[in-house]
């Protein structure tokens, strides 16, 4: 690919780690992955790593300029939200090519009882009519949306311990995927779960809970993904991102 070129990956996902590993192994590339720092002990990718925010789109644009970034790849979580819009604004300002890597969302199949909602607040509003023992797998952020549901019991799974406000009747399970169908099936059985709440992350590593919920015949409240910036080219996996990057660095 010629002289050393600098690639910035906005990471935190399996796809970002895989892409960083593949690119870091190539000659002539300097690969930096930026992590938000919301997880205490993140899985670090290959190459250089920076942790923490940039200070909005202006700070990101400044970093792109100072670090002479040749291409920006947004491989953040589908629910990362603000950073994707910051990336689009910063890339446009500095004239750095931008690509988004977005894994496909989950799709309901035969036997699924899914309830589509637009936010955690809507999920909380839907819960009392669906069950009393909730398996909450939306992460440690946003528990405040469920804090008023004192009649319901929650099994909250997250990588790091959540902070208040949180539901008063709650058990916390600290764990990190991938998860197996067998393990998810046992969690649902042991805790007598009668409703599951999840974000549509689309990750294969955490999809086993959906199979277990289908088998158990329990409803699933699925929080839709937030909107993403318009006009940003998007691919579904690291292989397609590699093809895009080859074209960009070759001047195509």
């Amino acid at each position: 690919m010629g002289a050393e070129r600098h690639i910035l990956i906005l990471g935190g996902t399996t796809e970002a780690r895989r892409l960083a590993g593949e690119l870091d192994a190539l000659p002539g590339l300097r690969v930096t992955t930026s992590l938000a720092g919301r997880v205490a002990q993140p899985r670090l990718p290959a190459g250089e790593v920076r942790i923490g925010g940039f200070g909005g789109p202006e700070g990101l644009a400044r970093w792109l300029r100072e670090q002479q970034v040749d291409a920006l790849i947004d491989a953040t979580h589908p629910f990362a939200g603000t950073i994707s819009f910051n990336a689009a604004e910063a890339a446009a300002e500095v004239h750095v090519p931008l690509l988004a890597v977005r894994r496909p969302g989950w799709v309901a199949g035969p036997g699924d009882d899914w309830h589509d909602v637009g936010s955690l607040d809507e999920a909380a509003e839907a819960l009392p009519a669906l069950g009393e023992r909730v398996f909450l797998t939306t992460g440690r952020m946003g528990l405040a949306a469920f804090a008023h549901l004192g009649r319901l019991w929650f099994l909250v799974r997250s990588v790091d311990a959540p902070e208040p406000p949180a539901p008063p009747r709650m058990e916390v399970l600290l764990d990190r995927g991938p998860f197996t169908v067998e393990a998810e099936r046992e969690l649902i059985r042991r805790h007598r779960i009668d409703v599951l709440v999840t974000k549509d992350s689309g990750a294969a590593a955490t999809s086993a809970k959906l199979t277990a919920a289908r088998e158990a015949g329990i409803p699933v409240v699925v929080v839709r993904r937030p909107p993403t910036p318009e006009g940003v080219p998007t691919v579904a996996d690291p292989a397609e991102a590699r093809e895009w990057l080859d074209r960009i660095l070759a001047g195509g």
Side-chain angles (χ1 to χ4, degrees):
M1 292 183 179
E4 183 178 71
R5 314 292 290 276
H6 190 187
I7 313 303
L8 175 61
I9 300 173
L10 304 177
T13 60
T14 301
E15 291 83 2
R17 287 191 298 274
R18 180 179 150 197
L19 182 60
E22 293 180 3
L23 296 181
D24 188 61
L26 298 177
L29 286 186
R30 174 190 171 195
V31 181
T32 302
T33 298
S34 177
L35 303 177
R38 292 182 177 177
V39 177
Q41 294 181 319
R43 293 172 175 168
L44 298 181
E48 300 177 27
V49 177
R50 71 173 301 281
I51 297 179
F54 289 95
E58 299 85 2
L60 177 53
R62 184 167 55 251
W63 200 94
L64 294 173
R65 219 181 269 114
E66 292 174 350
Q67 297 297 319
Q68 298 181 323
V69 172
D70 294 284
L72 174 59
I73 299 177
D74 174 13
T76 54
H77 192 277
F79 284 82
T82 304
I83 185 60
S84 295
F85 285 90
N86 290 351
E89 185 175 335
E93 178 182 335
V94 186
H95 303 291
V96 169
L98 169 64
L99 177 75
V101 180
R102 291 285 179 267
R103 64 178 76 125
W106 289 318
V107 178
D112 284 321
D113 179 16
W114 287 13
H115 299 257
D116 187 62
V117 297
S119 66
L120 293 178
D121 288 334
E122 288 185 22
E125 185 178 347
L127 277 179
L130 297 174
E132 297 183 348
R133 297 184 64 83
V134 184
F135 187 12
L136 188 60
T137 64
T138 55
R140 68 186 180 92
M141 311 293 287
L143 289 190
F146 305 92
H148 65 287
L149 297 175
R151 185 175 65 84
L152 308 185
W153 181 89
F154 290 82
L155 175 65
V156 176
R157 182 166 67 195
S158 62
V159 176
D160 294 320
E163 298 178 355
R169 301 177 62 212
M170 176 181 75
E171 179 176 331
V172 176
L173 175 62
L174 299 182
D175 204 354
R176 188 198 306 256
F179 304 106
T180 66
V181 173
E182 292 75 17
E184 301 290 61
R185 186 186 295 132
E186 175 59 20
L187 270 182
I188 289 173
R189 185 200 64 78
R190 186 168 72 249
H191 293 282
R192 295 179 287 115
I193 299 298
D194 55 15
V195 59
L196 166 68
V197 181
T198 185
K199 293 177 177 178
D200 181 17
S201 68
T206 57
S207 64
K209 61 192 171 189
L210 301 174
T211 301
R214 182 190 314 123
E215 291 179 354
I218 64 175
V220 180
V221 179
V222 181
V223 182
R224 291 191 302 273
R225 296 180 177 188
T228 56
E230 296 182 0
V232 176
T234 302
V235 298
D237 57 49
E240 292 178 280
R242 282 279 304 274
E243 294 175 1
W244 174 87
L245 187 60
D246 287 343
R247 293 193 299 271
I248 291 297
L249 298 184

